[in-house]
């Protein structure tokens, strides 16, 4: 009987100790946030500038290809118009030149496509690196336990989204230093 009173007292004491000790750990709430890189690319000053650079470079390349296409069309029209008065050898030579120009333009288009993709990836990666530094500093400053990219998150309340705050910080940094890069 004496032993059961002691064991019951110890059990109750341990239970009370356990209850009060875990409540201390629950007082600190984990701060979690989400971020949308796509929204940053679409809405930040650096993202808009990068899109503008990419578009203008693409338009320049497209204009160059169009000019070369116009040359090909003019050469083809001249060949069709003059084929009746040309010798067979001259006609074959012009057709060969025309086919060569078409192949050159196709190769140039592939080259331009590759260049624009590389340019785009370079700009996007630079923005991503800059934003990751800002997120790291922001998360530490604001006491976040975790900031996740929302691309893999199935559900998160809108209140966890810190994208707008990061865009503001990034725009401030970009206007001070980014334009000079």
């Amino acid at each position: 009987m004496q032993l059961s009173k002691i064991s019951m007292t110890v059990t109750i004491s341990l239970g009370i100790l356990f209850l009060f000790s875990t409540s201390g750990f629950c007082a600190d709430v984990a701060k979690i946030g989400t971020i949308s890189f796509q929204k940053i690319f679409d809405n930040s000053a650096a993202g808009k500038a990068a899109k503008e650079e990419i578009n203008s470079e693409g338009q320049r390349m497209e204009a160059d290809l169009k000019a070369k296409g116009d040359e090909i069309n003019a050469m083809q029209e001249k060949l069709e118009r003059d084929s009746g008065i040309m010798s067979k050898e001259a006609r074959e030579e012009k057709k060969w030149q025309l086919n060569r120009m078409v192949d050159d333009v196709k190769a140039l288009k592939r080259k331009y496509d590759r260049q624009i993709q590389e340019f785009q990836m370079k700009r996007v990666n630079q923005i991503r690196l800059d934003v990751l530094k800002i997120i790291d500093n922001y998360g530490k400053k604001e006491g976040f336990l975790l900031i996740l990219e929302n691309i893999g998150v199935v559900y998160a309340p809108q209140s966890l989204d810190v994208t707008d705050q990061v865009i503001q910080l990034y725009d401030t940094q970009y206007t001070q230093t980014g334009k000079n890069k």
Side-chain angles (χ1 to χ4, degrees):
M1 178 118 159
Q2 183 78 0
L3 189 58
S4 70
K5 282 185 178 182
I6 292 174
S7 65
M8 188 156 54
T9 306
V10 169
T11 305
I12 291 173
S13 298
L14 287 174
I16 291 172
L17 181 63
F18 178 72
L19 285 174
F20 288 115
S21 67
T22 58
S23 67
F25 293 117
C26 294
D28 189 22
V29 176
K31 200 168 175 184
I32 297 174
T34 61
I35 193 91
S36 169
F37 279 105
Q38 186 61 49
K39 187 174 178 182
I40 291 170
F41 294 132
D42 291 342
N43 298 328
S44 69
K48 290 175 183 176
K51 281 184 197 174
E52 183 61 36
E53 283 180 65
I54 292 165
N55 286 339
S56 75
E57 188 67 16
Q59 288 171 354
R60 183 193 64 78
M61 291 174 177
E62 192 174 309
D64 188 31
L65 289 173
K66 184 179 180 334
K68 294 200 183 298
D70 290 344
E71 277 182 49
I72 291 171
N73 288 339
M75 185 180 223
Q76 189 170 13
E77 287 174 8
K78 185 174 191 241
L79 178 64
E80 290 172 2
R81 190 177 55 239
D82 296 344
S83 66
I85 58 172
M86 290 181 157
S87 68
K88 183 178 178 182
E89 294 82 26
R91 198 172 34 250
E92 291 299 320
E93 177 67 24
K94 289 289 184 185
K95 283 183 182 179
W96 182 83
Q97 287 177 351
L98 184 63
N99 288 336
R100 179 70 185 180
M101 284 181 72
V102 169
D103 290 342
D104 288 347
V105 169
K106 287 179 182 177
L108 185 62
K109 182 177 181 349
R110 285 191 300 273
K111 177 184 170 188
Y112 281 169
D113 288 344
R114 196 171 42 254
Q115 283 178 344
I116 201 76
Q117 281 182 328
E118 289 171 1
F119 183 66
Q120 183 176 11
M121 287 304 295
K122 182 179 175 186
R123 294 292 289 140
V124 167
N125 286 337
Q126 185 58 53
I127 290 172
R128 191 171 182 82
L129 288 174
D130 292 346
V131 169
L132 286 173
K133 289 176 189 172
I134 291 170
I135 292 170
D136 186 54
N137 291 334
Y138 177 75
K140 288 175 184 174
K141 180 182 168 199
E142 297 296 322
F144 279 87
L145 175 66
L146 197 37
I147 297 178
L148 302 168
E149 185 174 1
N150 69 356
I151 199 158
V153 176
V154 177
Y155 170 77
Q158 186 62 31
S159 62
L160 295 181
D161 191 356
V162 295
T163 305
D164 292 332
Q165 293 88 334
V166 171
I167 289 173
Q168 285 179 328
L169 293 170
Y170 189 35
D171 284 349
T172 301
Q173 176 185 320
Y174 182 74
T175 54
Q176 292 172 356
T177 61
K179 290 181 181 178
N180 299 328
K181 285 185 180 177

